[in-house]
């Protein structure tokens, strides 16, 4: 699967999650849990767009974007996915997964420094 397709799938799921939170969960969870859900959906959508930008950059330059794309993808699944599980099913076992996902997202951003080496400043 191409990174553009990965971005499309994750972006679609992010919008679905945001809409579900706004319309399907509004009356069934506490405001705190709804806020956590919206944070998960927001982070997933933002990082889906980053994966898309990386895919387009990689296509235009021929440079590998695999490391940051994998880290952002893992971060979305672990960070947002664990928040969704915590909100929907109160699966406390997912609590430690959320910061691991956050670390993947941070590492994804840090890995852009490696990708930026040698890139022209245009």
């Amino acid at each position: 699967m191409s990174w553009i397709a990965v971005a499309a799938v994750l972006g679609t799921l992010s919008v679905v999650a945001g809409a579900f939170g706004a319309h399907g969960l509004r009356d069934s969870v506490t405001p705190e849990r709804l806020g956590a859900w919206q944070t998960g959906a927001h982070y997933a959508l933002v990082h889906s767009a980053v994966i898309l930008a990386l895919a387009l950059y990689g296509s235009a330059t021929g440079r590998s974007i695999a490391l940051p794309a994998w880290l952002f993808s893992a971060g979305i699944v672990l960070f947002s996915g664990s928040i969704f599980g915590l909100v929907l099913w109160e699966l406390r076992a997912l609590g430690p997964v959320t910061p691991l996902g956050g670390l993947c997202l941070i590492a994804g951003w840090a890995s852009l420094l490696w990708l930026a080496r040698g890139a022209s400043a245009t």
Side-chain angles (χ1 to χ4, degrees):
M1 182 180 291
S2 75
W3 286 113
I4 291 175
V6 170
V9 168
L10 292 173
T12 299
L13 293 173
S14 301
V15 173
V16 169
F20 179 68
H23 303 288
L25 292 178
R26 182 178 31 203
D27 298 328
S28 60
V29 299
T30 65
E32 293 80 17
R33 287 173 58 198
L34 186 58
W37 182 278
Q38 292 299 345
T39 296
H42 177 80
Y43 272 56
L45 184 59
V46 166
H47 290 90
S48 297
V50 172
I51 295 168
L52 176 60
L54 280 168
L56 296 173
Y57 171 80
S59 178
T61 64
R63 299 195 60 197
S64 174
I65 52 99
L67 179 61
W70 274 111
L71 287 167
F72 287 132
S73 298
I76 290 169
V77 170
L78 296 173
F79 180 82
S80 298
S82 64
I83 289 174
F84 298 154
L86 284 164
V87 170
L88 287 176
W89 303 294
E90 298 185 38
L91 297 173
R92 297 287 173 219
L94 292 176
V97 176
T98 308
L100 292 176
L103 286 173
C104 287
L105 295 173
I106 292 166
W109 285 106
S111 73
L112 292 180
L113 291 171
W114 180 259
L115 190 61
R117 68 176 169 43
S120 64
T122 55

